[in-house]
Amino acid sequence: MIGCIRMSAFRSEEMCLAQLFFQTESAHNCISELGHLGLVQFKDLNPGATTFQRRFVKEVKKCEKMERILRYLEKEMVKSNIVIAAQKKEKEIVPCPRDVLELEFTFEKLEQELKEINRNHDALRQNLVELMDMDSLLRMTEDFFEEAESLLSCSEPPSEDSMCMTVTSRINSRRNSSVSTGGLLHLGFIAGVIKQERFPAFEKVLWRLFHGNFVLRHAEIQATEELQTKRGPAKKDVFIIFVQGDHVREKIRKVCDGFHASLYSCPNTMHERKEMSSNILLRMEDLRMILRRTEEYRAGALIKAADHIHEWSGKVKKMKAIYYTLNLCNIDITQKLIVAEIWCPVSDLTLVQNALIKGSEQSGSGVTPVLNRIQTQQIPPTFNRTNSFTEGFQTIINAYGVGTYQEINPAPYTTVTFPFLFAVMFGDCGHGLVMTLLAVWIITQAECFRKCKNELTDVLVGGRYIILLMGMFSIYTGLIYNDCFSKSFNIFGSSWCVRPMFQPHGPWHNETLHACDHLQLDPVVPGVYSGDPYVFGIDPVWNIASNKLTFLNSFKMKMSVILGVSHMLFGVILSLVNYVYFRNFQDILIEFVPRLIFMLSLFGYLVFLIIYKWCITVRSDVAPSILLLFINMMLFDYQSHQYYLYKEQKAVQIFLVVTAVLMVPVLLLVKPLLIYRTQMKTKQQVFGNSVNDQHGVDTRSSFSQHQRDETVGMCDVFVYQAIHTIEFCLGCISNTASYLRLWALSLAHAELSEVLWRMVLQVGLRFSSGMGSPLTLALLFAAFGILTVAVLLVMEGLSAFLHALRLHWVEFQNKFYEGSGYKFTPLSFDRLLKTHQE
Amino acid sequence: MASLLFCGPKLAACGLVLSIWGVIMLAMLGIFFTTHSAVLIEDVPFKEEDMHNQETPLQPIYKLYNQVGYNCFIAAAIYVAIGLLSFCQVRLNKRKEYLVH
């Protein structure tokens, strides 16, 4: 049992198809128990049915309606700034179908109540706004009427009934009608409120219609704070129009309607106006009190609902999931039995059984559900059990393709190789340290981060262990490259010494120093190079050497090739593990062995050359370039004056190239020919049988049809094999070259780091003019820090992450990974609630 | 007390992190400068004539090294001050957060 559990990390779990039979009464509880367990995937037994033809579609609709009501409630709560209680951790019991009705009733009642309250609230508010408008209208028209009164008082005495006004001669009239200052005209008036932005158009229309036979006065309503909260930011104007005649007033009324101006009847005498004003003020006070009460009542109802809303929403989601699952099952004719087919891991069958028993006990039914394992030819889903550490790595593998059922899982190896390849490209212990500390912070604050529902923080939290490993490995490779913010550490003492270059050991004098700009340390001079290389990593003397890049490039390129070939060899060996597991011994002989030989004889030999050249001592002016050696080996170009690294090099190389070339036809032809031979054999058997039967023409025609199908099949096989062979052979070369990106990115990172130091921090360090220099240094250090994080950590980090990922997905995995499975998606309430919270 | 708070929680936290980094890195740089590390030769503002000084060879270079080292230490002290300030801001922000709720 323990062995099985551990094996699941290396390949996906063994799954079985099982049939479940349970009673309709206990169905609800059983499925809810399985949902809490989260280990069971239900298969769709009604694939032909559309969503509307399924059995429980009404219940699903009910659940959706309840969800809608819950969303509406949540929105109302957010609008009124009511805090929703945080979700409690206890498991909610899913209500059985009987309780669903009660819950539904509660929801509907709440919704109706809330809608009504909102309606009333809006109506009351509208009323209040109108009253406020009228109040400001009354106050402003006071001024107009006073103006009119004053004008009248200096002219003829007013008449008793309708309001009279003198028309001043300030009005411009096109017709220059007889409007005299002394004339007494009987005028009516219309008062109202209009939006300020519409007022100029309104005025223009009135002018066009009445040619100036009216007086228009307007003033802006002072926007008090209360007015603004109730009505909103729109500004309104009060206007009053004095016109002659009723007919004209009707026209004006229509114009006002067109401009959505609200008209209010204004009494004529001052006494009446005062009375109306006080009336309005009283009514406004009442309305304000009613509004406050309404708001309090609403808040009370929402607060009561806020306590339960999480619990309710969890219940509704679970119910919807259960009904959805029931829709996938088969209900038999008597309506008493439900049949379901599930995929579940073999090692968890007892857990599933226990969950079913618990479910049926809860529902009180006497019959225990039956779990019946069935054999099937269908391909099961791929299930990889992960913990919070391996989950991140499994996700990035699955992003490229979910593994075929039971093929080897690259994720455990990726936990080491991926951060390592990243670190080879990132290689700086200062940046690695910052990255590690960042990862530690994210890990400790993971819960806090999960609460902010931001996509970026989700990605960071999901990959926190990946970032931690990447940082730790980067510190290691940074120590090997001896690079910390582009400076080297000299912990163990450099192996190079400058003093022996001077007389009497070496060729330099004091004058050499003054004469030359660049000097070269010659390791042949005794004492310059101590003979023992630096203990760990690159010697710190290279940091101040001007030919640093020449040395490092050669080193990093060779290292990339070695790492690449090793990684790919590892991939090829993993394919062997796959062949052994699937008992495919034929493929081991005709695919794995030729591929291995091809790869080792060419690229394994290249790696050997690199390491051999590093180990032997060759004079640098005669040392052959490994690249040229390799190219000449492939072209069979052996000239007599060429320098060989070892004596039998020519013979060995010819042998290796010939072997590799021989492997190509083996890969191309052997497997298809074997398939052809087995098919011929089966055909002969079939032919023999059919000759014995005497069906004559029919069999032959069906047989020739069969033969035609077979030849088409054989073409497919040959082409398929050719594609795979070419992909592998050419891929070997191109993938090996592709690993050179390890060198390229690490060079880019080192150079960027050095440029940042030189352009930013060095300016601050070299600045030494008295008092200001520490302050300048502090400021420039802040700039250095920010740029390091932004450019070197984030940008270069993402870039290196992407390239390391590509190396895994393409160069490593195309040696063994098929990736054509589908993911195991169990019914899991935890996952459902978590995804819905985001 | 509210007027003492002049930056939000994120800025204060960033300031705190930057000052811790600044203190550690500038202090280490100061130590490496005062021990006359050869790797840092490019960062020392020496001039041509310092090279040709025959009487006391290397002493002007060492003096420059020490000067830069002391600059680094003073800058580290500035970052200690900024760090304390940011820490106070962080604490004030947390207190303000608690008061509202």
Side-chain angles (χ1 to χ4, degrees), chain A residues 106-124:
Chain A
T106 323
F107 283 3
E108 276 176 2
K109 199 162 65 121
L110 259 178
E111 187 192 13
Q112 263 174 4
E113 212 178 290
L114 212 61
K115 281 213 169 113
E116 205 179 309
I117 295 176
N118 278 347
R119 252 199 317 269
N120 289 346
H121 184 86
D122 287 337
L124 286 171

Side-chain angles (χ1 to χ4, degrees), chain A residues 503-716:
Chain A
Q503 298 273 334
H505 295 268
W508 292 356
H509 307 270
N510 257 352
E511 289 77 45
T512 357
L513 284 183
H514 297 301
C516 310
D517 268 337
H518 275 87
L519 291 165
Q520 190 171 50
L521 292 177
D522 192 351
V524 169
V525 173
V528 172
Y529 180 62
S530 69
D532 304 310
Y534 191 68
V535 175
F536 183 77
I538 306 256
D539 200 301
V541 77
W542 288 107
N543 194 274
I544 45 181
S546 58
N547 60 345
K548 166 172 85 154
L549 282 182
T550 320
F551 167 68
L552 278 181
N553 281 351
S554 160
F555 161 71
K556 283 183 181 172
M557 278 204 235
K558 291 178 179 172
M559 170 198 72
S560 311
V561 169
I562 294 175
L563 284 176
V565 173
S566 324
H567 204 209
M568 288 195 289
L569 266 177
F570 180 51
V572 175
I573 291 173
L574 283 180
S575 74
L576 172 71
V577 178
N578 259 346
Y579 290 138
V580 167
Y581 184 79
F582 289 115
R583 302 273 186 275
N584 202 348
F585 296 112
Q586 192 188 51
D587 265 355
I588 296 183
L589 279 178
I590 59 180
E591 285 226 4
F592 170 72
V593 169
R595 284 185 177 190
L596 192 66
I597 294 180
F598 181 85
M599 193 158 199
L600 279 178
S601 60
L602 289 179
F603 297 98
Y605 180 66
L606 178 64
V607 171
F608 164 75
L609 275 181
I610 294 175
I611 300 182
Y612 186 74
K613 190 176 168 197
W614 271 343
C615 293
I616 61 172
T617 324
V618 189
R619 276 186 42 220
S620 52
D621 49 344
V622 295
S625 148
I626 301 239
L627 193 60
L628 288 178
L629 273 181
F630 193 67
I631 294 176
N632 288 338
M633 170 174 119
M634 300 301 289
L635 296 176
F636 289 101
D637 183 4
Y638 297 104
Q639 289 152 353
S640 53
H641 60 268
Q642 194 177 37
Y643 187 94
Y644 291 125
L645 287 174
Y646 56 96
K647 226 172 25 182
E648 303 83 17
Q649 188 170 350
K650 180 169 168 182
V652 168
Q653 282 181 187
I654 294 181
F655 169 69
L656 286 174
V657 178
V658 166
T659 317
V661 171
L662 277 179
M663 288 297 128
V664 177
V666 170
L667 279 172
L668 262 179
L669 296 173
V670 173
K671 184 165 174 188
L673 285 175
L674 279 176
I675 294 179
Y676 184 68
R677 207 170 61 157
T678 41
Q679 275 183 354
M680 279 288 119
K681 262 199 231 159
T682 46
K683 249 192 277 188
Q684 272 182 358
Q685 278 181 347
V686 167
F687 191 61
N689 286 346
S690 70
V691 160
N692 290 343
D693 290 354
Q694 283 151 14
H695 280 205
V697 185
D698 287 9
T699 345
R700 238 176 282 138
S701 62
S702 69
F703 184 69
S704 57
Q705 179 84 6
H706 195 57
Q707 207 173 29
R708 242 177 284 131
D709 290 340
E710 286 309 313
T711 46
V712 169
M714 277 320 297
C715 260
D716 256 350

Side-chain angles (χ1 to χ4, degrees), chain A residues 796-815:
Chain A
E796 277 286 313
L798 278 176
S799 172
F801 180 94
L802 186 72
H803 283 284
L805 197 58
R806 175 246 151 78
L807 283 176
H808 275 77
W809 281 351
V810 179
E811 276 80 14
F812 175 58
Q813 286 182 304
N814 74 0
K815 302 285 178 293

